[in-house]
Structures are given as structure tokens and as C-alpha cells.
Amino acid sequence: MTRPTVLVYHGDPRYAELVRVPKGRAVLRAAATPSEAAEAVGEAEILYAWKFPPQLYAKAERLKWLQAMGAGVDWAIVPELPPGVILTRAPGVFGLWMAEYVIGWCSWVTQRVETYREAQRQRRWLDHVLPDRLLGKTLAIVGLGDIGRDVARAARAFGMRVLGVSRRGRLVREAERVYPVGQMARALRQADFVVILLPLTQETHGIIGADAFAAMKPTAWLVNIARGAVVNEAALLGALEQRRIAGAILDVFATEPLPPHHPLWRMDNVVITPHISGPSTPEEITPVFNDNLARYLAGRPLRHVVDRKQGY
Ligand code: GLV
């Protein structure tokens, strides 16, 4: 029996170094650039990759399985990916990172960090200004997958009231109430913070638009840690400019890196971070692949298989 070839595609060589092939039952190859991948992809039965160049799938005649090095697979669900290829993702890795991001930045708002730091620079003792608190605030989480539920648990530990929005509105124990996506406005109306954690699919593209911002309180903050294109950017810019909402903490953008002349950069009610809220590290992601690789080679079903029609 010929041994399947595993192609690891990433600029960081540690992804390939950490792959464990059980008893030499597969051939391991690594590609750091699109041209190196073009050389190797014809042999590959298994691809372990992030943002694989779609034009190379045409050469991937033997490809049977693509393991994404991350949670979101919008980049992988492209018409070029042959229909028979199984696509798996890497859940369970990012939730605690992103929960800290959310609590950290919500606290940045409630602890009025900017105000006290500015007063410090001016050597002013600002004791007539008090911080606000997370306790009792309402957090609406739009998208209640494994990451959303980790964020919910962290928020509850600080005494926040957690509402959820999901496709079907199925209740999860981490949230006080879950609304189906068609009733999102009911959750948004109550929220002090709205965290976006939806996968980017045809259905969710631009789903956070003018209606969503109209439903939010003028004191509420948007936190987008999903994908930029889930939010309608023109509607967001309008809502921020008109102070329809208090502000936005944005980790993801329709175009990344955010272009230097983009109006979001200069808005004082916007925080911009460079898609780092849930960092991918080879040490955390590769064990998910290794587990699936052992399953694949043993002929057992893979975990975390994506429903390509559904988009996640
Ligand atoms: C990162 O954005 C991921 O989807 O893993």
C-alpha cells in the first residue's frame, strides 16, 4: 500500500515539525510559499494549511482531506476546492484567548482606562470620576459556538448577564436566553456589549447592518472578533460617526491589513487590533491535526468536519 503524502502549508516551519506521523505511515512534506506548494500539491492526499492558494486546487488530484489551521474556514470554502475533499477545522483552541480579549476590552471601557491614563499624563488626581463595572452589564453574544460559549462563561464569572443569538436560538446553559438570528434585535436592544462570533458564510455576510445598529443602545459597544465582512462596514462607519453606538472594538476587517487611509483608523471611539484576539500557534493547533491524522490513518471518522453547505 502506498503511503499518503501530508502537505503542510505555512510560513512557520514549526507547524510541520510538530506533526506526528504514526509509525511512518505517511510521507510528510512542507511548503512555505505558494510556489513550493505548487510543486508538492499534486502528491498530497492530506493538506494541513492556512489560506491555501485556491488556484492550486486544480493540481490537487489526490487530495482527500484538508485540515484548516484555525477556526474559520471561509477562506477554504471556495468553488476551486474539489467537492469530494473533506474539510475539518480546529475548534477548542481559541475560546479562552478570545474570552480574555473580550473581558480585557470590555474592562478597558468600564474601567475608563483612557480617562485615567490621560489624567496621569496631566498629573491630575481625577477622583471625581469613578469607574463603571462589568457586574450587571448585559453582554449579547452573536454566534454561540465553542468560542462564544467560552466567552459567555468568562462574562458570567464577572457577573455579566449573557444573552445569545444563534441560527436556531437553541438554549445553551452558558446564556440566560438565546434568540434565533431572525430575532437578533431583541438581544441587541438589551445589550451593553455586543460580541460578534458568527462564522462568515453567505447567510452572515453583512448581517450586522443598519438595523442592528439602530437596535443597539447609544451607550453600547460592538466587539467584532469574527470576520470583518459579517459587519456591513458602511453601516458601522455611519453608526460610529453619528454616535448611534458608543464605539467599537474591532479585531477583524473586510480588508486585512486595514489599509492606512481607512477612516476607522482615526475614529476615537474605535479600538483597532490586528486580528490577534485568538492567535493561532503551532503548539495549540497541531495536536488537533495529529489527533485527526491518527484517525484518518486508522480509517476512523474525522473530528470537526465542516458542513460545506452550511459554511462552518
Ligand atoms: C482565525 O481567524 C481563525 O479563524 O482561526
Side-chain angles (χ1 to χ4, degrees), residues 50 69-72 94 227 275 280:
W50 186 249
M69 292 168 174
F94 304 102
R227 287 290 183 267
H275 202 140
S280 298

